[in-house]
Amino acid sequence: QVQLVESGGGSVQAGGSLRLSCAASGSTSGINCMGWFRQVSGQEREGVAAIEVGGGSAYYVDSVKGRFTISQDNAKGTLYLQMSSLKPEDTAMYFCAKGQVPCYAGARWTRWSKYDYWGRGTQVTVSS
């Protein structure tokens, strides 16, 4: 059974930085897409960034390009999201997700339905 546990959220001022971590346990076969999503209460979950486990291209939503970087430490089984130049509109609950297909295959990586496993989330609050 795959388990994902996020950490690293917190409160920062605009312009600040945070690094989110997602510790993954359990294994799946094939090439897996892992992503970060965020959700504001009452709004749809939004795909922020994604990457294939073990390497491959990284994908970003336009609103975070140049500010966020997704990366992974395969030895530790950990996914990261380095967030810089944070804006108040980045405030949300951030979730880590893992799918059982590559990011480039099937549904677009930004679709939450592409992913089979989810963490419980970590809150990021950016004040102006």
Side-chain angles (χ1 to χ4, degrees):
Q1 182 71 13
V2 173
Q3 290 190 322
L4 305 173
V5 179
E6 303 94 337
S7 62
S11 297
V12 295
Q13 290 194 325
S17 299
L18 283 174
R19 188 177 79 158
L20 305 184
S21 299
C22 173
S25 61
S27 62
T28 53
S29 61
I31 301 173
N32 307 128
C33 184
M34 289 198 72
W36 286 99
F37 281 71
R38 62 187 180 188
Q39 188 171 25
V40 175
S41 180
Q43 297 185 17
E44 193 170 327
R45 196 166 292 192
E46 175 190 35
V48 175
I51 192 169
E52 266 90 29
V53 175
S57 298
Y59 304 82
Y60 300 94
V61 68
D62 285 348
S63 60
V64 307
K65 284 181 180 177
R67 300 189 299 121
F68 291 11
T69 302
I70 189 171
S71 64
Q72 57 191 314
D73 184 328
N74 294 320
K76 295 182 178 179
T78 303
L79 183 73
Y80 301 100
L81 185 68
Q82 178 68 47
M83 306 186 295
S84 303
S85 302
L86 282 162
K87 304 175 181 180
E89 52 263 44
D90 294 319
T91 295
M93 183 72 79
Y94 283 71
F95 298 89
C96 171
K98 185 174 185 179
Q100 300 188 73
V101 295
C103 297
Y104 55 81
R108 181 168 166 74
W109 68 268
T110 53
R111 294 289 302 274
W112 63 266
S113 58
K114 182 182 182 71
Y115 302 84
D116 303 284
Y117 306 100
W118 291 85
R120 292 189 174 186
T122 185
Q123 177 68 37
V124 171
T125 302
V126 184
S127 58
S128 57

